Amino acid sequence: MGSRQGERMARTVGGVVVDPAELARWYEQGAGGSVPAYQRVKELVEQQIRNGHWQEDDALPSESQFVDALGLSRMTVNRALRELATEGVIRRVMGVGSFVAQRKASSALLEVHNIADEVQHRGHRYAARVLSLGEEKADERTGAHLGLGTGQPVFRSRVVHYEDGVPLQLEDRYVNPAFAPGYLEQDFTLQTPYTFLSKVAPLGRGEHIVEAVLASPEECAILDIGPSEPCLLILRRTWSRDALVSLARLLHPGSRYRLEGAFAMH
């Protein structure tokens, strides 16, 4: 197979270096018995991705290479790759081949976290750009969400959060001035609004409403996405003790972000 550097160069030019004998060995090492052949192919691919042999954007062996190396039918291999694509493990490009999918950033659905911490926890580089920061008069909808009357002053910030230089989230946040009087003096490229609010109005409870939406033309430009790309919108309200402090509209490109949650039945 050559050196790791040689493998990396081969990936860059033409995808994964394929050794039919090694591909067959991986398959034989997998689950056997009553496990269907297509499922064993799926497990083979997932295992090689997990152990780093196949990395993000690497080209996978072709259907023909799988068929020849494993002695399976094309229908079996096609089903395995098709299901892996549906599950987001790989992506398939018609007429080109299959590739390891890029991992989506993820956040806990049932919790509230600092996006900067999430990015850095994944070992990636976080950055932010402040689009606007100022005081406005609450319109009817914003006032109702924050428990304020129409026309009352609210603080508003619009911040773009980046992961490795790629826009991950457009945050549009309204804050009740009574609970964060120093909000407009903050530099939100140095700390996130969440970090500041956690200091001055510690989080007591939160509420999430999640929707699939299309971004506006301005939002598409900010997030560097096409007009037809689905986005994940999280409408988040947060309380400190019994006081409603913040309303945030968090917009993420669907191809770069996902929510995760777990629950138990009692």
Side-chain angles (χ1 to χ4, degrees):
M1 294 286 289
S3 68
R4 184 67 186 173
Q5 182 179 4
E7 289 183 22
R8 189 71 242 175
M9 289 176 63
R11 282 196 183 94
T12 302
V13 175
V16 170
V17 176
V18 179
D19 181 339
E22 189 168 35
L23 204 57
R25 179 172 58 82
W26 290 336
Y27 181 76
E28 293 302 323
Q29 288 175 344
S34 61
V35 178
Y38 81 89
Q39 185 65 39
R40 293 176 65 186
V41 175
K42 289 178 63 177
E43 292 174 359
L44 181 160
V45 173
E46 291 172 325
Q47 178 62 36
Q48 298 315 308
I49 293 173
R50 281 195 299 269
N51 67 22
H53 188 86
W54 296 343
Q55 301 176 12
E56 290 183 10
D57 293 324
D58 277 349
L60 270 63
S62 67
E63 284 190 17
S64 296
Q65 288 170 320
F66 274 115
V67 168
D68 293 343
L70 307 182
L72 301 174
S73 70
R74 184 174 292 273
M75 183 180 298
T76 297
V77 172
N78 180 270
R79 177 177 178 179
L81 297 180
R82 190 172 66 248
E83 291 192 6
L84 287 168
T86 300
E87 295 164 9
V89 178
I90 67 173
R91 57 185 176 87
R92 307 186 77 189
V93 181
M94 186 175 296
V96 178
S98 299
F99 301 84
V100 179
Q102 293 186 350
R103 296 177 184 175
K104 291 185 179 182
S106 63
S107 180
L109 175 61
L110 305 180
E111 301 173 1
V112 177
H113 292 297
N114 181 21
I115 190 169
D117 293 340
E118 291 181 356
V119 170
Q120 292 164 353
H121 180 74
R122 291 190 286 270
H124 295 171
R125 177 170 50 88
Y126 169 80
R129 177 166 65 100
V130 178
L131 300 179
S132 61
L133 177 62
E135 181 179 306
E136 298 182 3
K137 293 183 178 180
D139 58 23
E140 183 177 357
R141 183 179 181 185
T142 302
H145 275 301
L146 278 174
L148 300 172
T150 302
Q152 286 192 262
V154 294
F155 296 154
R156 183 184 183 186
S157 59
R158 297 182 76 221
V159 180
V160 189
H161 302 278
Y162 295 84
E163 182 166 359
D164 287 342
V166 177
L168 180 64
Q169 180 192 94
L170 172 57
E171 173 190 324
D172 189 355
R173 184 184 295 269
Y174 293 88
V175 175
N176 188 330
F179 301 99
Y183 193 78
L184 299 184
E185 284 72 56
Q186 304 308 307
D187 183 348
F188 291 127
T189 65
L190 301 179
Q191 65 173 339
T192 65
Y194 171 90
T195 300
F196 174 73
L197 291 173
S198 296
K199 296 174 183 175
V200 300
L203 178 68
R205 63 187 177 96
E207 171 190 88
H208 283 155
I209 299 174
V210 183
E211 298 180 79
V213 301
L214 292 177
S216 69
E218 180 204 13
E219 291 166 340
C220 287
I222 291 170
L223 293 172
D224 193 22
I225 59 175
S228 62
E229 175 163 347
C231 291
L232 189 65
L233 173 63
I234 304 171
L235 190 66
R236 175 187 293 167
R237 294 197 297 173
T238 52
W239 285 258
S240 183
R241 299 184 178 88
D242 293 326
L244 184 51
V245 174
S246 173
L247 166 68
R249 182 180 185 271
L250 311 174
L251 187 67
H252 311 82
S255 61
R256 303 173 194 159
Y257 200 79
R258 70 182 181 189
L259 288 172
E260 298 178 350
F263 61 90
M265 302 297 289
H266 299 287

